[in-house]
Amino acid sequence: MPAETFSAPELVVTNFHPRFTGVSATAEGVVSRQVSQFRVCLVGYPFSSGPEPVGFRDAIRLCRTPPRGRPFAVWHVRRNLEMASAIFARDVLRLPIRTLFTSAAQRLHSRVPRELISRMDAVVATTRAASGYVPNVADVVPHGVDTTRFCPAEDVTAAWRATGFPGEYGVGIVGRIRPEKGTDLFIDSMLDVLPQRPGFTAVVIGRAMPSDAAFMARLRAKIEASGLGDRFVFTGEVPPHAMPELIRSLRLLVAPARYEGYGMTPLEAMSSGVPVVASRTGVYPEVIDGRVGDLVPIDDLSALTGSLLRVTVDVDRLRSMGAACRRIAESRLSLEAEAAGYGQVIERMWRGLPGSRAA
């Protein structure tokens, strides 16, 4: 919405990164639902959809007076520069605003962001684990999935056949091909699993950056040496619009990351009716249990292989686990649930209730 037609926003969302990153994607998702809750102003770079952004100076002008019926506007920030800009607007320009920061990291922030975060009026953590590393936590609000876009296939057999990949069933990993994502753990475990599961194909979805080219070459060499080269598919980078269709064609998604701040892909798989085997990092321990998949220790190849063998032994059980995944995604992991969680935090800030410093 052009700045000249936008007055007194209740919620200001900043997006100061020129590239569309994972942070941008999660922000865009929740904003797509918040526009029906609040008068929202996007500041900075545009999303692929949603409100038209305004510049920082326009945001300052729009926030010189409180929004109608509210004591202040809430500025929701997610990056260091965005925190610093909001602090400047609040403390130097003395605008009637309060600041809200989202933190996903499950480790101690470095010195500069720690200082900035300490000056936020309220902080939302995306997981219970992340909440232990930041002050002023108002609530834990998991990132949400677009459950309309990521939905189960009407016929998963037909969906798999449409990919043109070999075999009857797909087991996939999604993400950059690099050690942190555990791509090597996935391949090593599938080299043991595939000979015992003749109908299955391993699908590596994502690309390797030039800095990881040697890592990628070692993985491919290991596969070729095993004689199982026809049982692995490397898709390369898949455009976002094609990802839902590919994920819903799988029977199982594997996420053996060595570290994950949050981890959206397993949630997108669950929303698509696909069970998940994941390591104990990110949000995974809070959403994955025996009903929807399995959890394994970080960097434990033996445990990962054993889990994959157990989970894939019965395709009918995979189907029932997929149905449970979808139910949990719709009830707890949707964008609507995320927007509702932020809505409660923002309302508490306006009322000056415990859980924030926004009184």
Side-chain angles (χ1 to χ4, degrees):
M1 183 179 293
E4 61 268 22
T5 65
F6 206 136
S7 61
E10 297 173 298
L11 175 62
V12 173
V13 177
T14 53
N15 181 41
F16 289 178
H17 202 297
R19 288 192 301 109
F20 191 77
T21 65
V23 172
S24 308
T26 56
E28 179 183 41
V30 72
V31 166
S32 71
R33 273 45 177 187
Q34 288 176 319
V35 291
S36 64
Q37 295 177 293
F38 308 115
R39 295 190 298 280
V40 179
C41 175
L42 176 63
V43 184
Y45 291 93
F47 294 143
S48 58
S49 62
E52 184 177 337
V54 304
F56 182 67
R57 289 184 178 180
D58 286 325
I60 295 298
R61 178 176 59 81
L62 292 170
C63 292
R64 291 196 181 280
T65 59
R68 184 175 63 253
R70 307 294 191 188
F72 48 78
V74 173
W75 281 42
H76 191 173
V77 296
R78 293 172 168 85
R79 301 178 175 96
N80 290 355
L81 179 58
E82 297 169 13
M83 284 193 281
S85 299
I87 291 168
F88 173 79
R90 183 194 65 193
D91 296 351
V92 177
L93 300 182
R94 313 294 291 180
L95 298 184
I97 69 171
R98 297 295 184 270
T99 56
L100 171 64
F101 175 72
T102 293
S103 182
Q106 294 190 12
R107 54 191 174 196
L108 192 65
H109 292 268
S110 58
R111 184 181 62 82
V112 171
R114 279 207 312 272
E115 172 61 25
L116 293 170
I117 293 168
S118 72
R119 298 175 67 180
M120 295 292 100
D121 294 298
V123 175
V124 164
T126 58
T127 62
R128 290 191 295 273
S131 70
Y133 293 94
V134 285
N136 308 325
V137 175
D139 209 343
V140 174
V141 179
H143 289 316
V145 179
D146 187 337
T147 55
T148 300
R149 184 165 169 256
F150 288 94
C151 60
E154 291 185 12
D155 183 340
V156 68
T157 300
W160 175 253
R161 192 179 301 122
T163 67
F165 299 154
E168 301 174 68
Y169 317 112
V171 178
I173 182 173
V174 178
R176 289 284 169 83
I177 297 173
R178 56 182 175 177
E180 185 177 80
K181 291 294 184 183
T183 319
D184 55 322
L185 295 170
F186 172 76
I187 287 175
D188 286 346
S189 63
M190 292 306 293
L191 287 174
D192 285 335
V193 169
L194 290 176
Q196 302 178 63
R197 299 288 182 266
F200 284 82
T201 296
V203 185
V204 182
I205 304 167
R207 69 185 181 103
M209 299 294 285
S211 58
D212 292 310
F215 176 72
M216 171 76 152
R218 289 194 298 271
L219 297 180
R220 284 189 173 275
K222 185 178 290 189
I223 291 170
E224 291 307 313
S226 74
L228 294 171
D230 60 342
R231 305 283 301 279
F232 284 83
V233 173
F234 287 80
T235 68
E237 189 164 22
V238 174
H241 72 270
M243 191 64 77
E245 185 174 1
L246 182 53
I247 288 180
R248 71 174 64 105
S249 75
L250 301 174
R251 296 292 181 143
L252 180 68
L253 185 110
V254 185
R258 292 180 168 93
Y259 171 80
E260 194 72 70
Y262 189 79
M264 282 298 297
T265 302
L267 276 62
E268 292 166 349
M270 290 175 62
S271 183
S272 304
V274 178
V276 177
V277 171
S279 53
R280 294 182 178 275
T281 185
V283 74
Y284 310 152
E286 298 179 19
V287 299
I288 297 171
D289 57 26
R291 295 171 297 167
V292 300
D294 197 18
L295 287 169
V296 297
I298 295 170
D299 207 6
D300 190 329
L301 177 60
S302 176
L304 178 63
T305 302
S307 174
L308 294 180
L309 286 170
R310 287 192 304 275
V311 170
T312 57
V313 72
D314 185 348
V315 176
D316 288 336
R317 181 165 177 260
L318 282 175
R319 187 178 297 111
S320 65
M321 291 168 72
C325 286
R326 177 64 180 179
R327 289 193 297 271
I328 290 173
E330 288 183 307
S331 63
R332 292 175 46 202
L333 304 175
S334 67
L335 284 174
E336 288 74 16
E338 182 182 12
Y342 277 114
Q344 292 171 8
V345 171
I346 292 167
E347 291 286 351
R348 290 203 302 271
M349 291 176 70
W350 280 327
R351 297 198 303 270
L353 296 180
S356 81
R357 302 188 309 175

